[in-house]
Amino acid sequence: MMGFTVRAPRPVSFGPPLYLQLRRFPSKHIGIRSLLFRYGGQNILPRSLNMKFSSCVSAAKATSSSITAAATGAAAGGEDTTTSLEVEELREIKDKCRQWKWKGRYAINYFVSLSDPPPSSSNPKPKPSLLLVHGFGASIPHWRRNIRTLSQNYSVYAIDLLGFGASEKPTGFSYTMEKWAKLILDFLDEIVQKPTVLIGNSVGSLACVIAASESNNKALVGGLVLLNCAGGMNNKAIVDDWRIKLLLPLLWFFDFLLKQRRIASAIFERVKQRDTIRKALLAVYGNKESVDKELVEIIMEPTCDPGALDAFVSIVTGPPGPNPMQLISRISDIPLLVLWGDQDPFTPLDGPLGKYFASLPSQLPPNANANVSFFVLPGVGHCPHDDRPELVHERLLPWLDHLSI
Protein backbone atom coordinates (compact mmCIF):
# COMPACT_ATOMS: atom_id res chain seq x y z
CA MET A 1 0.00 0.00 0.00
CA MET A 2 2.73 2.42 0.77
CA GLY A 3 4.90 4.57 -1.47
CA PHE A 4 5.87 8.24 -1.64
CA THR A 5 6.90 11.29 -3.59
CA VAL A 6 9.77 13.64 -2.87
CA ARG A 7 9.85 17.08 -4.38
CA ALA A 8 13.26 18.67 -3.86
CA PRO A 9 13.77 22.23 -5.10
CA ARG A 10 17.53 21.90 -4.69
CA PRO A 11 20.02 19.03 -4.48
CA VAL A 12 19.86 16.96 -1.32
CA SER A 13 23.18 15.85 0.15
CA PHE A 14 23.23 12.44 1.76
CA GLY A 15 26.79 12.94 3.06
CA PRO A 16 29.84 10.83 2.33
CA PRO A 17 30.28 8.53 0.59
CA LEU A 18 27.14 9.13 -1.47
CA TYR A 19 25.82 12.34 -3.02
CA LEU A 20 22.69 12.17 -5.08
CA GLN A 21 21.39 15.18 -7.00
CA LEU A 22 17.63 14.58 -7.08
CA ARG A 23 17.16 17.28 -9.74
CA ARG A 24 19.01 15.08 -12.24
CA PHE A 25 15.85 12.99 -12.59
CA PRO A 26 13.17 14.52 -14.82
CA SER A 27 10.37 12.66 -13.07
CA LYS A 28 9.19 13.39 -9.55
CA HIS A 29 8.76 9.67 -8.90
CA ILE A 30 11.88 7.68 -8.02
CA GLY A 31 11.56 3.93 -7.44
CA ILE A 32 13.84 3.76 -4.42
CA ARG A 33 11.81 6.44 -2.70
CA SER A 34 8.76 4.24 -2.97
CA LEU A 35 10.73 1.23 -1.79
CA LEU A 36 12.17 2.88 1.30
CA PHE A 37 8.95 4.49 2.41
CA ARG A 38 6.84 1.46 1.64
CA TYR A 39 9.02 -0.78 3.76
CA GLY A 40 10.02 1.42 6.61
CA GLY A 41 11.03 5.01 5.97
CA GLN A 42 13.51 6.71 8.29
CA ASN A 43 16.41 4.72 9.73
CA ILE A 44 15.16 1.47 8.26
CA LEU A 45 18.51 -0.15 9.08
CA PRO A 46 19.54 0.12 12.74
CA ARG A 47 22.84 1.89 13.38
CA SER A 48 24.11 -0.91 15.55
CA LEU A 49 23.96 -3.37 12.67
CA ASN A 50 27.46 -4.60 11.87
CA MET A 51 27.73 -5.69 8.25
CA LYS A 52 30.55 -6.66 5.96
CA PHE A 53 28.85 -4.77 3.16
CA SER A 54 29.48 -1.55 5.04
CA SER A 55 29.69 0.82 2.09
CA CYS A 56 26.44 -0.39 0.51
CA VAL A 57 24.60 -0.39 3.81
CA SER A 58 25.89 3.08 4.68
CA ALA A 59 24.54 4.35 1.39
CA ALA A 60 21.18 2.67 1.96
CA LYS A 61 20.94 4.04 5.50
CA ALA A 62 21.90 7.54 4.44
CA THR A 63 19.46 7.43 1.53
CA SER A 64 16.62 6.22 3.74
CA SER A 65 17.22 8.78 6.49
CA SER A 66 17.66 11.77 4.21
CA ILE A 67 14.78 10.96 1.91
CA THR A 68 12.46 10.53 4.87
CA ALA A 69 13.49 13.87 6.33
CA ALA A 70 12.94 15.61 2.99
CA ALA A 71 9.60 13.93 2.28
CA THR A 72 7.94 14.16 5.67
CA GLY A 73 9.24 17.36 7.22
CA ALA A 74 6.28 19.40 6.05
CA ALA A 75 3.77 16.71 6.95
CA ALA A 76 4.98 15.88 10.43
CA GLY A 77 2.84 16.60 13.38
CA GLY A 78 -0.68 16.90 11.96
CA GLU A 79 -3.69 16.80 14.28
CA ASP A 80 -5.77 13.67 14.69
CA THR A 81 -9.18 14.04 13.07
CA THR A 82 -10.87 10.80 14.15
CA THR A 83 -14.51 11.39 15.17
CA SER A 84 -16.51 9.42 17.70
CA LEU A 85 -18.78 8.26 14.86
CA GLU A 86 -15.82 6.85 12.94
CA VAL A 87 -14.59 5.05 16.06
CA GLU A 88 -18.05 3.55 16.54
CA GLU A 89 -18.22 2.48 12.89
CA LEU A 90 -14.83 0.83 13.22
CA ARG A 91 -16.03 -1.07 16.28
CA GLU A 92 -19.13 -2.23 14.41
CA ILE A 93 -17.00 -3.47 11.51
CA LYS A 94 -14.86 -5.56 13.84
CA ASP A 95 -17.95 -6.92 15.64
CA LYS A 96 -19.41 -8.15 12.34
CA CYS A 97 -16.31 -10.05 11.31
CA ARG A 98 -16.40 -13.83 11.02
CA GLN A 99 -13.91 -16.60 10.36
CA TRP A 100 -13.71 -18.99 7.43
CA LYS A 101 -11.31 -21.88 6.98
CA TRP A 102 -9.73 -21.66 3.57
CA LYS A 103 -8.86 -25.10 2.19
CA GLY A 104 -9.99 -26.38 5.56
CA ARG A 105 -6.73 -25.16 7.02
CA TYR A 106 -6.09 -21.40 7.04
CA ALA A 107 -8.18 -19.07 9.21
CA ILE A 108 -9.45 -16.15 7.11
CA ASN A 109 -11.09 -13.13 8.68
CA TYR A 110 -13.98 -11.60 6.76
CA PHE A 111 -16.75 -9.04 7.22
CA VAL A 112 -20.32 -9.28 6.00
CA SER A 113 -23.26 -6.90 6.05
CA LEU A 114 -26.22 -8.45 4.26
CA SER A 115 -28.77 -6.26 2.54
CA ASP A 116 -31.74 -7.00 0.33
CA PRO A 117 -32.85 -3.65 -1.06
CA PRO A 118 -35.50 -3.43 -3.80
CA PRO A 119 -34.20 -2.95 -7.35
CA SER A 120 -33.81 0.68 -8.37
CA SER A 121 -35.99 2.35 -11.00
CA SER A 122 -32.97 2.82 -13.27
CA ASN A 123 -31.92 -0.83 -12.94
CA PRO A 124 -34.73 -3.28 -12.12
CA LYS A 125 -32.36 -6.25 -11.88
CA PRO A 126 -31.25 -7.61 -8.47
CA LYS A 127 -28.22 -5.87 -7.05
CA PRO A 128 -24.89 -7.73 -6.91
CA SER A 129 -22.91 -8.30 -3.75
CA LEU A 130 -19.68 -6.37 -3.23
CA LEU A 131 -16.35 -7.81 -2.09
CA LEU A 132 -13.77 -5.33 -0.80
CA VAL A 133 -10.11 -6.38 -1.05
CA HIS A 134 -7.48 -4.27 0.73
CA GLY A 135 -3.94 -3.37 -0.32
CA PHE A 136 -0.44 -3.95 1.05
CA GLY A 137 -0.24 -3.74 4.84
CA ALA A 138 -3.94 -2.96 5.20
CA SER A 139 -7.00 -4.96 6.27
CA ILE A 140 -10.80 -4.88 6.48
CA PRO A 141 -10.96 -1.75 8.71
CA HIS A 142 -9.24 0.23 5.96
CA TRP A 143 -12.71 0.30 4.36
CA ARG A 144 -14.10 2.07 7.45
CA ARG A 145 -15.22 5.10 5.45
CA ASN A 146 -16.99 3.08 2.75
CA ILE A 147 -18.82 0.15 4.32
CA ARG A 148 -21.69 2.14 5.86
CA THR A 149 -22.40 3.95 2.58
CA LEU A 150 -22.17 0.84 0.40
CA SER A 151 -24.18 -1.39 2.74
CA GLN A 152 -27.22 0.90 2.46
CA ASN A 153 -28.00 -0.67 -0.91
CA TYR A 154 -25.73 -3.69 -1.27
CA SER A 155 -24.65 -6.77 0.58
CA VAL A 156 -21.04 -5.98 1.42
CA TYR A 157 -18.28 -8.46 2.10
CA ALA A 158 -14.67 -7.62 2.92
CA ILE A 159 -11.76 -9.97 3.41
CA ASP A 160 -8.38 -9.97 5.10
CA LEU A 161 -6.00 -11.63 2.65
CA LEU A 162 -3.88 -14.41 4.09
CA GLY A 163 -0.91 -12.80 5.85
CA PHE A 164 -2.74 -9.54 6.61
CA GLY A 165 -5.15 -8.16 9.16
CA ALA A 166 -6.74 -10.72 11.46
CA SER A 167 -6.28 -13.58 8.99
CA GLU A 168 -3.75 -16.29 9.71
CA LYS A 169 -0.09 -15.69 8.96
CA PRO A 170 1.27 -19.22 8.60
CA THR A 171 4.98 -19.72 9.16
CA GLY A 172 6.85 -20.78 6.04
CA PHE A 173 4.03 -19.90 3.65
CA SER A 174 5.16 -18.59 0.25
CA TYR A 175 2.89 -15.70 -0.65
CA THR A 176 2.07 -15.02 -4.29
CA MET A 177 -0.51 -12.96 -6.15
CA GLU A 178 -1.91 -16.14 -7.66
CA LYS A 179 -2.61 -17.65 -4.24
CA TRP A 180 -4.46 -14.53 -3.13
CA ALA A 181 -6.50 -14.65 -6.34
CA LYS A 182 -7.38 -18.28 -5.62
CA LEU A 183 -8.40 -17.28 -2.09
CA ILE A 184 -10.79 -14.68 -3.54
CA LEU A 185 -12.33 -17.16 -5.98
CA ASP A 186 -12.81 -19.79 -3.28
CA PHE A 187 -14.41 -17.17 -1.03
CA LEU A 188 -16.88 -16.24 -3.78
CA ASP A 189 -17.66 -19.88 -4.42
CA GLU A 190 -18.04 -21.00 -0.79
CA ILE A 191 -19.28 -17.91 1.07
CA VAL A 192 -20.85 -15.32 -1.24
CA GLN A 193 -22.34 -17.71 -3.83
CA LYS A 194 -23.85 -15.01 -6.06
CA PRO A 195 -22.70 -12.51 -8.70
CA THR A 196 -20.23 -10.14 -7.07
CA VAL A 197 -18.44 -6.93 -7.91
CA LEU A 198 -14.81 -7.10 -6.81
CA ILE A 199 -13.50 -3.79 -5.44
CA GLY A 200 -9.77 -3.68 -4.72
CA ASN A 201 -7.06 -1.22 -3.80
CA SER A 202 -3.39 -1.54 -4.77
CA VAL A 203 -2.32 -5.21 -4.65
CA GLY A 204 -5.95 -5.99 -3.79
CA SER A 205 -6.92 -4.61 -7.20
CA LEU A 206 -4.34 -6.80 -8.89
CA ALA A 207 -5.55 -9.86 -6.98
CA CYS A 208 -9.08 -9.10 -8.22
CA VAL A 209 -7.89 -8.79 -11.83
CA ILE A 210 -6.08 -12.13 -11.59
CA ALA A 211 -9.10 -13.77 -9.95
CA ALA A 212 -11.42 -12.52 -12.69
CA SER A 213 -9.06 -13.72 -15.41
CA GLU A 214 -8.72 -17.19 -13.87
CA SER A 215 -12.32 -17.78 -12.82
CA ASN A 216 -13.97 -20.88 -14.21
CA ASN A 217 -17.36 -19.51 -13.23
CA LYS A 218 -17.61 -16.20 -15.07
CA ALA A 219 -21.05 -15.56 -13.58
CA LEU A 220 -19.53 -15.06 -10.13
CA VAL A 221 -17.50 -11.98 -11.09
CA GLY A 222 -20.04 -9.41 -12.20
CA GLY A 223 -17.76 -6.39 -12.28
CA LEU A 224 -14.37 -4.99 -11.30
CA VAL A 225 -13.50 -1.74 -9.54
CA LEU A 226 -9.79 -0.92 -9.37
CA LEU A 227 -8.53 1.80 -7.03
CA ASN A 228 -4.94 2.66 -8.01
CA CYS A 229 -4.15 -0.87 -9.11
CA ALA A 230 -0.66 -2.14 -8.29
CA GLY A 231 1.64 -3.54 -10.95
CA GLY A 232 2.72 -6.45 -8.76
CA MET A 233 3.09 -7.82 -5.26
CA ASN A 234 6.16 -5.65 -4.70
CA ASN A 235 8.31 -2.94 -6.29
CA LYS A 236 10.04 -5.22 -8.77
CA ALA A 237 6.94 -5.46 -10.95
CA ILE A 238 7.08 -2.66 -13.52
CA VAL A 239 10.50 -3.43 -14.97
CA ASP A 240 9.81 -1.45 -18.15
CA ASP A 241 9.88 1.73 -16.08
CA TRP A 242 13.39 3.22 -16.34
CA ARG A 243 13.15 4.35 -12.73
CA ILE A 244 12.79 0.74 -11.55
CA LYS A 245 15.48 -0.51 -13.93
CA LEU A 246 17.90 2.06 -12.59
CA LEU A 247 17.45 0.95 -9.01
CA LEU A 248 16.82 -2.76 -9.51
CA PRO A 249 20.24 -3.74 -8.08
CA LEU A 250 19.40 -1.92 -4.87
CA LEU A 251 15.99 -3.61 -4.74
CA TRP A 252 17.65 -7.01 -5.03
CA PHE A 253 20.17 -6.02 -2.35
CA PHE A 254 17.28 -5.08 -0.07
CA ASP A 255 15.78 -8.53 -0.73
CA PHE A 256 19.11 -10.08 0.26
CA LEU A 257 19.07 -8.19 3.56
CA LEU A 258 15.53 -9.32 4.34
CA LYS A 259 16.47 -12.96 3.81
CA GLN A 260 18.91 -12.69 6.74
CA ARG A 261 16.64 -13.44 9.70
CA ARG A 262 18.39 -11.20 12.20
CA ILE A 263 18.52 -8.26 9.81
CA ALA A 264 14.91 -8.78 8.70
CA SER A 265 13.74 -8.78 12.31
CA ALA A 266 15.59 -5.52 13.03
CA ILE A 267 14.16 -3.87 9.91
CA PHE A 268 10.64 -5.06 10.67
CA GLU A 269 10.84 -3.65 14.19
CA ARG A 270 11.50 -0.25 12.65
CA VAL A 271 8.79 -0.68 10.03
CA LYS A 272 6.07 -1.43 12.58
CA GLN A 273 6.69 1.61 14.80
CA ARG A 274 3.72 4.00 14.95
CA ASP A 275 5.82 7.00 13.99
CA THR A 276 7.26 5.19 10.97
CA ILE A 277 3.81 4.07 9.86
CA ARG A 278 2.35 7.54 10.28
CA LYS A 279 5.10 9.16 8.23
CA ALA A 280 4.72 6.61 5.47
CA LEU A 281 0.95 7.12 5.37
CA LEU A 282 1.33 10.89 5.24
CA ALA A 283 3.58 10.40 2.23
CA VAL A 284 1.02 8.37 0.25
CA TYR A 285 -2.20 10.19 1.21
CA GLY A 286 -3.23 13.33 -0.63
CA ASN A 287 -5.57 14.38 2.17
CA LYS A 288 -3.32 14.45 5.23
CA GLU A 289 -6.31 14.85 7.57
CA SER A 290 -7.37 11.31 6.71
CA VAL A 291 -4.22 9.98 8.40
CA ASP A 292 -5.55 9.69 11.95
CA LYS A 293 -4.74 7.58 15.00
CA GLU A 294 -7.23 4.91 13.99
CA LEU A 295 -5.57 4.45 10.61
CA VAL A 296 -2.14 4.08 12.20
CA GLU A 297 -3.55 1.42 14.55
CA ILE A 298 -5.24 -0.37 11.66
CA ILE A 299 -1.86 -0.79 9.97
CA MET A 300 0.19 -1.37 13.12
CA GLU A 301 -1.93 -3.88 15.06
CA PRO A 302 -1.56 -6.91 12.72
CA THR A 303 2.24 -6.48 12.62
CA CYS A 304 2.37 -7.80 16.19
CA ASP A 305 0.76 -11.14 15.25
CA PRO A 306 2.78 -14.37 15.11
CA GLY A 307 3.94 -14.91 11.54
CA ALA A 308 3.77 -11.21 10.61
CA LEU A 309 7.53 -11.00 10.04
CA ASP A 310 7.53 -14.09 7.81
CA ALA A 311 4.64 -12.67 5.79
CA PHE A 312 6.40 -9.33 5.37
CA VAL A 313 9.63 -10.94 4.15
CA SER A 314 7.87 -13.36 1.80
CA ILE A 315 5.72 -10.65 0.23
CA VAL A 316 8.53 -8.13 -0.22
CA THR A 317 11.04 -10.64 -1.58
CA GLY A 318 8.66 -12.88 -3.53
CA PRO A 319 7.82 -12.84 -7.24
CA PRO A 320 5.83 -9.76 -8.30
CA GLY A 321 3.24 -11.87 -10.09
CA PRO A 322 1.34 -11.31 -13.36
CA ASN A 323 1.29 -7.88 -14.92
CA PRO A 324 -2.28 -6.49 -14.97
CA MET A 325 -1.70 -4.98 -18.41
CA GLN A 326 -1.36 -8.50 -19.79
CA LEU A 327 -4.57 -9.73 -18.16
CA ILE A 328 -7.14 -7.08 -19.02
CA SER A 329 -7.70 -8.45 -22.53
CA ARG A 330 -8.91 -11.72 -20.99
CA ILE A 331 -11.69 -10.01 -19.06
CA SER A 332 -12.93 -7.48 -21.63
CA ASP A 333 -16.48 -8.81 -21.16
CA ILE A 334 -16.51 -7.80 -17.47
CA PRO A 335 -17.60 -4.22 -16.62
CA LEU A 336 -14.57 -2.31 -15.33
CA LEU A 337 -14.36 0.92 -13.35
CA VAL A 338 -10.88 2.34 -12.74
CA LEU A 339 -10.37 5.21 -10.29
CA TRP A 340 -6.90 6.75 -9.98
CA GLY A 341 -5.63 9.27 -7.45
CA ASP A 342 -3.41 11.75 -9.25
CA GLN A 343 -1.15 12.23 -6.21
CA ASP A 344 -0.17 8.57 -5.97
CA PRO A 345 3.61 8.29 -5.66
CA PHE A 346 3.65 4.49 -5.69
CA THR A 347 1.70 3.85 -8.90
CA PRO A 348 1.86 7.34 -10.44
CA LEU A 349 -0.56 8.46 -13.09
CA ASP A 350 2.39 9.24 -15.39
CA GLY A 351 3.94 5.79 -14.89
CA PRO A 352 3.46 2.82 -17.26
CA LEU A 353 0.49 1.42 -15.34
CA GLY A 354 -1.29 4.74 -14.91
CA LYS A 355 -0.84 5.61 -18.57
CA TYR A 356 -2.09 2.18 -19.62
CA PHE A 357 -5.34 2.37 -17.69
CA ALA A 358 -5.93 6.01 -18.65
CA SER A 359 -5.71 5.10 -22.33
CA LEU A 360 -7.57 1.78 -22.00
CA PRO A 361 -11.05 2.99 -23.05
CA SER A 362 -9.67 4.37 -26.33
CA GLN A 363 -7.60 1.25 -27.05
CA LEU A 364 -10.40 -1.30 -26.84
CA PRO A 365 -12.60 -2.25 -29.80
CA PRO A 366 -15.99 -0.48 -29.96
CA ASN A 367 -17.87 -3.49 -28.61
CA ALA A 368 -15.65 -3.63 -25.52
CA ASN A 369 -14.82 -0.05 -24.59
CA ALA A 370 -18.34 0.56 -23.26
CA ASN A 371 -17.41 -1.81 -20.44
CA VAL A 372 -14.52 0.38 -19.25
CA SER A 373 -14.72 3.65 -17.31
CA PHE A 374 -11.67 5.58 -16.11
CA PHE A 375 -11.65 8.62 -13.82
CA VAL A 376 -8.84 10.62 -12.27
CA LEU A 377 -9.42 11.71 -8.67
CA PRO A 378 -7.70 15.08 -8.08
CA GLY A 379 -5.68 15.58 -4.91
CA VAL A 380 -5.92 11.89 -4.00
CA GLY A 381 -3.10 9.48 -3.17
CA HIS A 382 -2.63 5.71 -3.32
CA CYS A 383 -5.66 4.76 -1.20
CA PRO A 384 -8.58 6.76 -2.65
CA HIS A 385 -11.31 5.00 -0.68
CA ASP A 386 -9.88 6.17 2.66
CA ASP A 387 -8.11 9.29 1.42
CA ARG A 388 -11.16 11.02 -0.05
CA PRO A 389 -14.06 8.55 0.16
CA GLU A 390 -16.64 11.07 -1.07
CA LEU A 391 -14.86 11.31 -4.44
CA VAL A 392 -14.83 7.53 -4.75
CA HIS A 393 -18.53 7.22 -3.86
CA GLU A 394 -19.37 9.97 -6.35
CA ARG A 395 -18.09 7.77 -9.18
CA LEU A 396 -18.72 4.32 -7.74
CA LEU A 397 -22.39 4.51 -6.68
CA PRO A 398 -23.83 5.64 -10.07
CA TRP A 399 -21.66 3.05 -11.84
CA LEU A 400 -22.97 0.30 -9.56
CA ASP A 401 -26.55 1.49 -9.94
CA HIS A 402 -26.41 1.14 -13.73
CA LEU A 403 -24.51 -2.14 -13.69
CA SER A 404 -26.28 -4.92 -15.52
CA ILE A 405 -25.45 -8.42 -14.25
Side-chain angles (χ1 to χ4, degrees):
M1 174 188 103
M2 301 180 187
F4 71 103
T5 298
V6 175
R7 293 182 177 88
R10 58 183 181 274
V12 176
S13 172
F14 294 141
L18 177 66
Y19 294 88
L20 179 61
Q21 306 296 324
L22 293 181
R23 64 168 56 168
R24 292 178 185 174
F25 299 94
S27 172
K28 63 183 179 180
H29 305 286
I30 304 299
I32 188 59
R33 299 171 181 172
S34 178
L35 171 75
L36 292 173
F37 250 123
R38 191 181 191 196
Y39 306 133
Q42 187 174 18
N43 297 324
I44 193 170
L45 295 174
R47 293 180 179 177
S48 59
L49 196 59
N50 180 20
M51 298 185 58
K52 294 181 180 180
F53 307 97
S54 57
S55 61
C56 293
V57 175
S58 295
K61 289 171 69 178
T63 302
S64 173
S65 179
S66 299
I67 286 178
T68 302
T72 64
E79 295 182 1
D80 181 66
T81 58
T82 309
T83 66
S84 58
L85 178 60
E86 289 176 335
V87 172
E88 180 61 29
E89 289 179 352
L90 195 55
R91 186 179 299 112
E92 290 180 6
I93 290 173
K94 292 182 177 180
D95 289 343
K96 288 186 177 180
C97 283
R98 306 177 183 180
Q99 191 178 94
W100 164 61
K101 283 287 187 178
W102 182 40
K103 299 181 178 294
R105 178 179 180 183
Y106 302 113
I108 301 299
N109 185 55
Y110 74 95
F111 165 91
V112 59
S113 176
L114 298 176
S115 176
D116 189 22
S120 67
S121 57
S122 60
N123 189 356
K125 294 185 177 181
K127 293 179 179 294
S129 293
L130 310 179
L131 175 59
L132 311 179
V133 186
H134 62 80
F136 180 90
S139 57
I140 292 168
H142 201 207
W143 301 98
R144 59 192 173 145
R145 293 174 171 145
N146 317 104
I147 285 176
R148 182 182 291 270
T149 297
L150 296 175
S151 62
Q152 291 176 6
N153 292 295
Y154 300 90
S155 289
V156 177
Y157 294 81
I159 193 170
D160 281 343
L161 296 173
L162 190 72
F164 290 118
S167 286
E168 190 172 345
K169 302 164 184 66
T171 302
F173 189 88
S174 296
Y175 294 87
T176 66
M177 291 303 312
E178 293 87 345
K179 290 176 182 177
W180 283 333
K182 176 61 175 172
L183 166 62
I184 291 171
L185 291 176
D186 289 347
F187 184 81
L188 294 181
D189 187 52
E190 297 181 27
I191 302 297
V192 184
Q193 298 182 342
K194 64 178 293 188
T196 303
V197 174
L198 304 181
I199 304 175
N201 171 230
S202 188
V203 294
S205 285
L206 178 55
C208 290
V209 171
I210 299 171
S213 69
E214 295 183 350
S215 175
N216 293 323
N217 185 355
K218 297 299 182 182
L220 274 182
V221 181
L224 277 174
V225 180
L226 310 182
L227 307 175
N228 286 65
C229 183
M233 190 169 70
N234 47 51
N235 287 52
K236 299 182 291 292
I238 309 298
V239 294
D240 57 343
D241 189 330
W242 69 268
R243 293 161 287 199
I244 299 297
K245 287 182 179 179
L246 181 66
L247 294 155
L248 199 56
L250 189 51
L251 299 181
W252 288 119
F253 177 69
F254 192 74
D255 283 3
F256 170 78
L257 295 180
L258 286 178
K259 290 179 180 179
Q260 318 307 309
R261 184 73 180 187
R262 185 177 176 183
I263 298 173
S265 180
I267 291 174
F268 192 56
E269 285 302 312
R270 296 297 181 108
V271 168
K272 61 194 274 190
Q273 297 301 311
R274 286 183 177 86
D275 186 55
T276 302
I277 292 172
R278 179 175 176 78
K279 288 178 179 177
L281 289 167
L282 285 169
V284 300
Y285 270 59
N287 178 18
K288 309 305 180 186
E289 292 184 355
S290 291
V291 180
D292 52 26
K293 291 180 181 178
E294 295 300 323
L295 177 58
V296 173
E297 293 302 312
I298 287 169
I299 304 300
M300 189 277 296
E301 186 177 350
T303 65
C304 300
D305 292 346
L309 171 60
D310 287 341
F312 173 77
V313 172
S314 177
I315 293 166
V316 174
T317 63
N323 188 317
M325 295 183 284
Q326 299 171 348
L327 300 177
I328 293 297
S329 60
R330 302 185 196 173
I331 54 175
S332 59
D333 57 330
I334 297 177
L336 173 64
L337 172 64
V338 182
L339 303 180
W340 214 277
D342 68 352
Q343 298 299 309
D344 182 358
F346 182 50
T347 49
L349 188 59
D350 68 348
L353 204 57
K355 289 180 179 179
Y356 169 79
F357 278 109
S359 64
L360 186 59
S362 62
Q363 292 181 355
L364 295 174
N367 62 330
N369 62 10
N371 273 349
V372 179
S373 300
F374 178 90
F375 298 98
V376 174
L377 304 181
V380 179
H382 188 59
C383 309
H385 60 292
D386 192 58
D387 193 328
R388 292 191 182 273
E390 71 281 0
L391 296 184
V392 171
H393 298 158
E394 183 180 299
R395 295 296 186 181
L396 174 60
L397 295 177
W399 183 84
L400 288 172
D401 191 45
H402 289 88
L403 194 63
S404 178
I405 296 181

